[in-house]
Amino acid sequence: MIDDRTLKILVTRLTPERTVSLSFSHKFILDLLERRFNKSVFVDYFFFPEYKKFISLKNNKFQGAVSQKAGMDISKFDVIAVSNSFQLELINLFHLLSILKVPFKLKDRLKDEKIPLIIAGGVNTPSIAAITGAPEGTSGMPDDGSSSLVDAIFMGEAETNLPAFIKTLLTDPDWKKNKYEILGKASQNIAGVYFPPAYIHQFERSGLNGETALAAIVPAVGKDSPLTPARSSYIENIDTAHEFNGSIFDDSPNDATMPVEISRGCASMCSFCKEGYTQKPYREKSADEVVKTCCRLRDETGISRFNLYSYNFSDHSHIHEIVKGLAERYMEAEVKSQRADTALKTPKLLSYLQSIGSASPTFAIEGISDRLRSYLSKNLDPATINSFADSVFMAKPRQIKLFFIITGLENESDLAEFNNFFTRLVKNRKNFSPSTSIVISLMPLVPCQKTPLMFAPAPDGERVYKIIDKISKTAGGCEKTVVRSSIGRKLYEMTAIMEYGGREITCCLYDLAVNAGFVYYEDIDDRSYNRFAQNVKKAGFAFSKFYGEKDMKTIFNSDDREYGVTKNFLYKAWISAKNFKDMPRCLRNSTVKCCGCGACEGENSVYKNAGAEKNELNFNIKNDSGANKKRIVIPVFTDNKTDIPHALISPLLNGSPFKILEDSISKLSLNSNSFYGKNYYLIECSEGPVKPSQRPDKCKTAGESKAGSLTFPAVAGYKSLDFLLEYNYIFARADFDPRFFKPGGPGKSAETLFARLNPKFKAAKLKSDCAYLKENGRGSGGGFTCLTNADGLKKRPAMPVILTDNETSFIYAIFKLDKEILDIVAGAEILEYVKFYEYNVKDPQTVCNKCGRVMSHTPENLKNFSSPECFVCRLLS
């Protein structure tokens, strides 16, 4: 029970859970607040519902929206903390407010103490101005921020400002009565808190078409005073930063990894990159701290594979030391994106990472030619690109991924240069690794706020997609090559408008979401897009400025927010890009004077990189490539709250590192959200002793389940889970669909269910203590009522046994792995996998000598099977 006095915080994503499975920003925030404030706060998740669920909620007047973990009505929370990653999902913010049943305007929300605070954060905060305006539009008049969809925006790194703000709420028992004042003071006293009413956006009408352009941003208090932008916050020493304790996985919890941060910010000056410019300065976590963190997390979770996350992992000056430190402690590093130039300097490191399946060769080349790479400030010259093409296949990767940005500036010479590069790439693949597939991703350029290219003319969408089509036809026709566009044209053009537009286009998003009912699910229909485009024109969006070059006098919607790098420097970098010249990177070993972007203290500040390429010479890790690995099958009990099984498996392997290759629930195509309990895991691990499988109540782990404490030995001798394909039934404590099994009368319902599923068999009803269950911690003093087949004993009923616990009314059943039955099972805790034989008159072992039924057994007693007693007899005795 959650105390009403506890501060309740709902961490919210604007897209469904499946689309953010590999993201952990929401998990990070929850983990941060829970550990920082312990029981003073209650934190839960809410993911924007899938389409069918959303329509159901809408038809039900948005009744029934509950939090992820506690199932609590989301309108009962005190703070709704929205994590925003990109522009288009902001459309769903209107729907979130509708689900919460709160007003769209800040001024209406803050005066009502029953309405939760709506705050937003995330990497998209530089580009969030489009939801801080008025739903009715500006009509060229000033916008005072009082109609914003969010009450505050948290800029920068959450460890610094979010806990400080939450502490403010916890120390003021009357904060709900003074929300406006609380937010106003927070914006003045806490770095990185932006309060929309603190800044007035002034617009002017201009041109023959009456365009509405942002003319000035002035402070709400002291309008004649100089503008003081809200300044984002950051941590200087990330060795002291909050370390995330959760796991991430894509398709299966078996593939879970632990993300461990090794650096923040980016050392590059890529002219297009929002994250690169808004998360400076570049900072590294020390190698010792990274390895210590991984050791602690392995001990706590059982996971021995760590996702070393950073913008470019090979930039870390001690990356070799980190990878080697993990390997020496029987842990593995997993890495993602990397630069082509640093990859060339660290071939030993990459070869090792690829050999253990940890490196997905993903390279952001960006420009299709040397000229355009300089426009994007990638610092990749033709010699580097050619060397990359010559060496990338040497390690024989399964796949390489290449990312390119299409700017709209591409000419025939640029396209010819790309064709030469691609031809060289394909030739080298044929010579060194013909089985490697190539995936090329083409992303149309969006000039982002707080980047040098915000001064650039917006690309013409039609021209951009013609270039994309031309490259796709050239490269896509090659064998084992896939070319993808990262976004469709309609969504691309909406993104670009939402990036440049601010409070003047809030009304367009309001109309699209609220009046037209559009919900963002990774696509948009023609009708909705056309409506948005027409409303943008009606609102007077300044297309002439959008498609024109900007200068230092241009007022941008993000000028009231600052992220370290100064506007002067961004303009300087734009002039460099305009002239197709690279800006130097920060990693220069202090040999070149800092270019003074403003993110660091002092004109001469420069990151002192130790030089990862120097460490490459001494890098040597022996990789046995599986020579000392073995595969074993281990049975483990999980409960319905177990996120990942690693913490249960690790003690059985004496803490040795392992990989989960497969599990029985997946092998038998059962729904892992509905089926849990006994699960066989196929493990790859180092040679060494393995403990016998223990009862879950003796394994003190986070995932234990006392209810699932059946005793069984380890399964010896199996090298795969193929043996399970012979097991055609499961024994489980089951919950059935209430349409087929009415609660409140389990005895009668059990008889009805038995008759429905076994129409050709007569039921025998008896009482039993079911010693088999009692010995394993199941059942109560009331015994069991048993239903089983009394005739046709040499055949296999769909559900041969149904047991009702006379005290708890829990239902236990043996049932066939058949679609008709599985469709009526709402949830099941698996206790045993059972094989029922086909009766063979010539083989007496196919019949139970005791009861005359067809023989049945479980995997554990198969190898030494000599008892004439079947599993049904064992169960009912």
Side-chain angles (χ1 to χ4, degrees):
M1 189 69 178
I2 303 167
D3 193 317
D4 288 339
R5 294 169 295 181
T6 301
L7 185 69
K8 296 174 283 295
I9 305 168
L10 189 67
V11 181
T12 305
R13 298 301 297 255
L14 296 175
T15 48
E17 184 177 11
R18 62 176 172 80
T19 65
V20 292
S21 62
L22 292 179
S23 169
F24 57 93
S25 58
H26 52 286
K27 295 181 180 180
F28 180 91
I29 296 299
L30 182 141
D31 187 60
L32 168 68
L33 295 177
E34 284 188 336
R35 289 164 58 192
R36 188 70 62 91
F37 295 103
N38 200 1
K39 295 181 180 180
S40 300
V41 301
F42 170 74
V43 194
D44 208 340
Y45 298 127
F46 180 74
F47 298 94
F48 195 81
E50 297 281 0
Y51 179 73
K52 288 184 179 179
K53 176 65 174 176
F54 174 79
I55 296 301
S56 176
L57 285 171
K58 189 174 182 180
N59 291 339
N60 198 34
K61 297 182 179 179
F62 294 115
Q63 300 293 330
V66 297
S67 63
Q68 183 89 347
K69 296 195 299 180
M72 181 177 167
D73 184 339
I74 66 171
S75 65
K76 303 299 183 184
F77 283 80
D78 302 306
V79 180
I80 310 297
V82 177
S83 178
N84 173 225
S85 299
F86 57 97
Q87 288 89 340
L88 291 167
E89 67 175 4
L90 288 171
I91 296 168
N92 290 347
L93 183 58
F94 292 91
H95 300 299
L96 174 65
L97 298 185
S98 296
I99 294 172
L100 289 164
K101 305 182 201 63
V102 302
F104 291 119
K105 296 183 177 182
L106 174 150
K107 59 185 177 184
D108 296 329
R109 292 191 300 272
L110 295 188
K111 66 184 180 183
D112 188 337
E113 61 184 84
K114 295 181 180 179
I115 293 176
L117 285 175
I118 313 295
I119 63 175
V123 296
N124 195 49
T125 58
S127 310
I128 206 170
I131 51 93
T132 61
E136 65 271 18
T138 62
S139 301
M141 302 296 290
D143 187 295
D144 63 3
S146 65
S147 296
S148 170
L149 265 75
V150 294
D151 302 325
I153 296 168
F154 284 70
M155 308 156 45
E157 295 169 359
E159 298 101 317
T160 56
N161 51 27
L162 185 55
F165 178 71
I166 297 303
K167 186 176 181 180
T168 299
L169 301 185
L170 289 172
T171 54
D172 184 352
D174 296 322
W175 71 267
K176 292 183 180 180
K177 299 177 181 178
N178 307 293
K179 291 188 284 187
Y180 198 99
E181 290 75 15
I182 288 282
L183 290 170
K185 289 181 180 179
S187 68
Q188 296 171 7
N189 301 326
I190 302 174
V193 178
Y194 173 83
F195 186 41
Y199 300 92
I200 298 173
H201 288 211
Q202 298 178 343
F203 297 89
E204 62 180 8
R205 293 274 192 176
S206 62
L208 297 175
N209 297 324
E211 291 182 341
T212 300
L214 184 59
I217 299 178
V218 298
V221 178
K223 294 182 174 62
D224 296 329
S225 303
L227 178 67
T228 302
R231 175 69 163 85
S232 86
S233 61
Y234 73 94
I235 296 173
E236 290 188 19
N237 179 10
I238 65 170
D239 275 3
T240 64
H242 176 76
E243 191 61 60
F244 176 56
N245 269 0
S247 62
I248 56 172
F249 55 86
D250 191 0
D251 296 327
S252 169
N254 296 346
D255 301 324
T257 61
M258 296 293 293
V260 173
E261 183 178 47
I262 64 171
S263 66
R264 284 193 188 181
C266 184
S268 297
M269 294 287 184
C270 303
S271 60
F272 61 89
C273 185
K274 186 190 304 180
E275 290 82 0
Y277 274 94
T278 59
Q279 295 183 33
K280 283 185 171 21
Y282 176 73
R283 292 146 289 159
E284 290 184 353
K285 180 168 284 191
S286 67
D288 284 346
E289 188 63 29
V290 172
V291 175
K292 285 179 184 177
T293 299
C294 292
C295 289
R296 175 179 61 81
L297 292 175
R298 181 185 63 178
D299 291 343
E300 292 176 359
T301 68
I303 294 177
S304 54
R305 193 176 182 88
F306 296 91
N307 173 15
L308 305 181
Y309 73 89
S310 64
Y311 284 121
N312 289 294
F313 81 90
S314 50
D315 273 349
H316 196 292
S317 54
H318 297 282
I319 187 62
H320 294 79
E321 186 179 337
I322 292 171
V323 172
K324 188 173 183 179
L326 296 182
E328 288 173 346
R329 293 163 178 82
Y330 304 104
M331 294 180 284
E332 292 181 346
E334 184 176 273
V335 297
K336 301 296 182 184
S337 183
Q338 56 201 294
R339 287 180 59 91
D341 50 355
T342 51
L344 289 172
K345 298 174 182 176
T346 56
K348 289 182 181 179
L349 174 66
L350 288 184
S351 178
Y352 166 73
L353 291 171
Q354 289 176 15
S355 72
I356 61 172
S358 294
S360 173
T362 302
F363 302 95
I365 296 177
E366 315 301 13
I368 68 168
S369 68
D370 181 47
R371 185 178 76 101
L372 293 172
R373 286 191 294 276
S374 293
Y375 179 74
L376 300 171
S377 196
K378 285 298 296 182
N379 284 281
L380 294 173
D381 58 29
T384 299
I385 293 298
N386 288 335
S387 295
F388 166 78
D390 292 342
S391 62
V392 70
F393 297 106
M394 293 297 186
K396 295 180 170 48
R398 180 183 62 83
Q399 179 187 80
I400 65 165
K401 297 178 183 178
L402 306 176
F403 288 86
F404 293 92
I405 292 176
I406 306 304
T407 65
L409 301 176
E410 290 79 4
N411 57 31
E412 291 302 318
S413 177
D414 299 317
L415 290 168
E417 189 173 331
F418 172 81
N419 289 341
N420 291 337
F421 163 76
F422 183 70
T423 300
R424 187 172 189 147
L425 197 69
V426 171
K427 180 181 178 181
N428 285 313
R429 176 178 66 176
K430 181 179 179 181
N431 291 336
F432 301 110
S433 185
S435 63
T436 301
S437 62
I438 300 172
V439 178
I440 295 175
S441 180
L442 304 175
M443 183 177 74
L445 174 67
V446 174
C448 293
Q449 296 291 311
K450 299 302 181 184
T451 70
L453 293 190
M454 72 179 185
F455 294 95
D460 175 67
E462 182 177 2
R463 174 169 172 75
V464 165
Y465 278 85
K466 283 183 178 179
I467 296 166
I468 287 176
D469 185 58
K470 186 175 290 189
I471 293 174
S472 298
K473 289 179 179 177
T474 300
C478 182
E479 185 181 4
K480 297 184 74 65
T481 301
V482 177
V483 183
R484 302 168 180 160
S485 174
S486 63
I487 188 173
R489 181 175 171 183
K490 295 191 294 290
L491 292 179
Y492 162 67
E493 293 186 344
M494 285 181 68
T495 299
I497 289 171
M498 291 175 68
E499 184 74 47
Y500 183 74
R503 296 181 183 180
E504 76 277 17
I505 66 167
T506 303
C507 58
C508 306
L509 300 175
Y510 173 86
D511 176 77
L512 181 65
V514 180
N515 296 335
F518 174 75
V519 190
Y520 174 71
Y521 286 107
E522 302 180 82
D523 202 0
I524 189 169
D525 58 280
D526 290 340
R527 183 177 180 180
S528 298
Y529 170 75
N530 291 335
R531 179 169 183 148
F532 173 77
Q534 290 169 6
N535 282 330
V536 166
K537 291 179 181 178
K538 286 181 184 178
F541 180 77
F543 279 103
S544 62
K545 292 183 179 293
F546 178 64
Y547 286 117
E549 184 179 349
K550 295 82 174 170
D551 57 26
M552 278 297 295
K553 295 180 181 179
T554 303
I555 307 299
F556 294 93
N557 68 60
S558 60
D559 279 357
D560 52 7
R561 283 153 287 142
E562 185 178 308
Y563 292 82
V565 180
T566 65
K567 188 175 181 179
N568 281 332
F569 182 83
L570 292 174
Y571 185 68
K572 172 185 173 183
W574 156 241
I575 296 302
S576 181
K578 180 182 176 181
N579 292 312
F580 300 98
K581 293 182 179 179
D582 289 289
M583 291 293 290
R585 303 181 74 219
C586 290
L587 301 180
R588 299 188 300 278
N589 300 316
S590 301
T591 57
V592 180
K593 183 180 178 181
C594 170
C595 51
C597 73
C600 299
E601 297 294 329
E603 280 293 314
N604 295 317
S605 297
V606 63
Y607 183 76
K608 297 180 180 179
N609 188 324
E613 63 273 17
K614 295 178 182 178
N615 300 326
E616 174 77 7
L617 296 174
N618 300 319
F619 183 75
N620 184 26
I621 299 178
K622 184 179 180 180
N623 178 29
D624 59 22
S625 300
N628 297 318
K629 300 286 187 180
K630 65 177 179 179
R631 291 187 175 192
I632 58 173
V633 173
I634 293 182
V636 173
F637 262 96
T638 61
D639 65 20
N640 57 351
K641 296 180 180 178
T642 303
D643 290 329
I644 56 174
H646 299 70
L648 294 168
I649 296 171
S650 183
L652 306 177
L653 301 175
N654 294 308
S656 298
F658 62 92
K659 291 180 184 178
I660 300 175
L661 304 179
E662 198 172 23
D663 72 281
S664 55
I665 289 178
S666 302
K667 182 79 171 180
L668 298 176
S669 301
L670 300 175
N671 184 349
S672 59
N673 293 325
S674 302
F675 289 84
Y676 54 97
K678 185 176 183 179
N679 203 341
Y680 292 102
Y681 289 92
L682 176 63
I683 306 296
E684 184 179 79
C685 61
S686 301
E687 293 285 356
V690 178
K691 296 180 182 179
S693 180
Q694 300 177 12
R695 291 164 56 117
D697 56 348
K698 293 182 180 178
C699 296
K700 300 301 182 183
T701 64
E704 69 179 66
S705 171
K706 292 183 179 179
S709 54
L710 290 178
T711 304
F712 47 82
V715 180
Y718 290 116
K719 303 299 182 184
S720 77
L721 294 181
D722 289 348
F723 72 94
L724 275 174
L725 298 177
E726 298 180 13
Y727 287 78
N728 41 16
Y729 288 74
I730 59 175
F731 174 52
R733 187 182 75 78
D735 296 314
F736 294 98
D737 189 317
R739 292 175 299 171
F740 305 101
F741 196 94
K742 301 294 183 186
K748 189 67 176 175
S749 294
E751 293 178 31
T752 303
L753 184 64
F754 189 94
R756 171 190 172 89
L757 295 175
N758 307 309
K760 297 181 181 180
F761 296 88
K762 182 180 178 181
K765 187 174 182 179
L766 60 137
K767 301 288 185 179
S768 174
D769 287 337
C770 291
Y772 176 85
L773 287 174
K774 282 197 168 186
E775 288 171 3
N776 291 286
R778 296 285 177 151
S780 53
F784 293 84
T785 298
C786 312
L787 290 171
T788 183
N789 60 313
D791 58 354
L793 298 179
K794 294 183 175 55
K795 294 187 178 181
R796 300 185 299 188
M799 188 173 287
V801 176
I802 300 179
L803 306 176
T804 303
D805 188 314
N806 295 328
E807 186 170 308
T808 65
S809 294
F810 286 164
I811 302 298
Y812 298 84
I814 301 175
F815 54 87
K816 192 175 184 179
L817 292 173
D818 179 86
K819 185 178 186 305
E820 179 186 2
I821 299 177
L822 296 179
D823 284 346
I824 69 171
V825 176
E829 181 184 10
I830 301 172
L831 305 179
E832 292 287 4
Y833 298 83
V834 186
K835 176 180 178 178
F836 276 75
Y837 281 79
E838 189 79 47
Y839 172 61
N840 184 348
V841 68
K842 296 181 180 180
D843 185 356
Q845 285 196 332
T846 62
V847 179
C848 175
N849 290 341
K850 186 174 181 179
C851 70
R853 290 182 177 84
V854 290
M855 183 55 70
S856 56
H857 62 70
T858 61
E860 278 72 32
N861 64 7
L862 171 63
K863 294 270 179 177
N864 300 310
F865 187 74
S866 58
S867 171
E869 186 179 62
C870 70
F871 178 70
V872 176
C873 290
R874 291 172 57 205
L875 186 61
L876 299 183
S877 61

